[in-house]
Amino acid sequence: MVAFPAGRKGQPGVAERAIAGWLKPQQRRLPLYFPYVQALSQLQPAWQQAAQTVLGYLEAGETVVFASEGDVSFYSTFTYLAQSLLQLQPAAQVEAVPGVCSPLAAAAVLGQPLTVQGQRLTVLPALYCASDLETVLTWADVVVLLKVSSVYRQVWQILHRCKLLRHSYIVERATTEHQIVYADLRAYPDLQLPYFSILIVQNQIRQFQVAALPCPQ
Ligand SMILES: C[S@@+](CC[C@H](N)C(=O)[O-])C[C@H]1O[C@@H](n2cnc3c(N)ncnc32)[C@H](O)[C@@H]1O
């Protein structure tokens, strides 16, 4: 059984589309329904229901894989599904297969390293903490913002104040056929970004400060 998060409005989801070309005829598809909300009161019953569905197949002797965008250990629904499954059946065997997470996919698309040498990298799930960006920029050399679409205007204003728009990049739908790259965000205060967008800030101001430090003896 090949499980994946069901898409919206009857359309195939991102993970399902990514794996579609590799599925064999004998592999059956199992869309699992997870609401696109933040409320735990709605998410928890969905995780439990999905885990129950998976457990039903495991008890029938099937093997179930769960396809996820990027890496399954990086802000992934897989974590909640696996935890819920193990609560229902502690003896269930769960294995994580590593994938390429979106910051690294975006760096490859941009043709730039994400980090070098002693640079400090910070990842912010911006939807929950966009206002922390300014503080983080006082010490991080590279900042990656996930879940940035709904707070993009606020993020743009902060980058504007910090004079970092020129050193910021967005990759929409990295590594898919609909991928779009924006480099130098000064001209883009009002982008309507899709959920699968990532923003990378190369904090040049701090990088110059670090470069100016005397080398340790
Ligand atoms: C719930 S997190 C999932 C992260 C994913 N597990 C990973 O390894 O990247 C969803 C966020 O990841 C980012 N994301 C995931 N895939 C992406 C892609 N192909 N292109 C751009 N951003 C992506 C977006 O910021 C999106 O809002």
Side-chain angles (χ1 to χ4, degrees), residues 68-72 74-76 100-103 145-148 171-176 195-198:
S68 175
E69 250 279 316
D71 188 275
V72 288
F74 191 65
Y75 300 102
S76 174
V100 179
C101 64
S102 49
L145 300 175
L146 300 180
K147 305 183 185 185
V148 69
V171 185
E172 286 184 12
R173 302 186 173 101
T175 73
T176 73
Y195 175 71
F196 285 101
S197 300
I198 190 162

Side-chain angles (χ1 to χ4, degrees), residues 2-187:
V2 180
F4 40 78
R8 293 184 199 215
K9 299 178 184 161
Q11 297 297 314
V14 178
E16 182 181 3
R17 273 183 273 136
I19 60 169
W22 279 271
L23 290 185
K24 301 193 177 94
Q26 71 271 24
Q27 291 175 317
R28 281 168 295 152
R29 297 182 187 211
L30 177 61
L32 296 173
Y33 294 90
F34 303 104
Y36 291 87
V37 297
Q38 292 174 50
L40 275 180
S41 57
Q42 290 180 59
L43 287 168
Q44 271 167 342
W47 298 332
Q48 280 155 9
Q49 176 60 56
Q52 192 65 62
T53 303
V54 170
L55 183 59
Y57 286 105
L58 296 181
E59 286 176 342
E62 303 273 4
T63 302
V64 183
V65 299
F66 181 75
S68 175
E69 250 279 316
D71 188 275
V72 288
S73 304
F74 191 65
Y75 300 102
S76 174
T77 300
F78 170 78
T79 300
Y80 312 113
L81 177 61
Q83 281 173 355
S84 305
L85 176 65
L86 288 168
Q87 273 164 10
L88 288 173
Q89 176 47 274
Q93 286 181 12
V94 179
E95 181 188 355
V97 179
V100 179
C101 64
S102 49
L104 299 179
V109 168
L110 293 170
Q112 295 183 9
L114 187 61
T115 48
V116 291
Q117 296 187 329
Q119 286 185 328
R120 302 182 204 175
L121 170 68
T122 299
V123 177
L124 291 181
L127 169 63
Y128 308 101
C129 53
S131 56
D132 291 339
L133 175 59
E134 209 152 354
T135 313
V136 164
L137 285 168
T138 61
W139 56 269
D141 302 298
V142 181
V143 183
V144 169
L145 300 175
L146 300 180
K147 305 183 185 185
V148 69
S149 53
S150 57
V151 290
Y152 176 67
R153 282 184 68 90
Q154 186 186 353
V155 166
W156 191 93
Q157 291 296 343
I158 295 172
L159 294 174
H160 179 57
R161 271 203 301 283
C162 297
K163 299 189 171 36
L164 282 169
L165 288 167
R166 211 150 57 87
H167 306 293
S168 301
Y169 307 82
I170 291 173
V171 185
E172 286 184 12
R173 302 186 173 101
T175 73
T176 73
E177 59 190 321
H178 303 295
Q179 164 183 297
I180 300 177
V181 172
Y182 300 92
D184 186 347
L185 302 183
R186 284 175 296 180

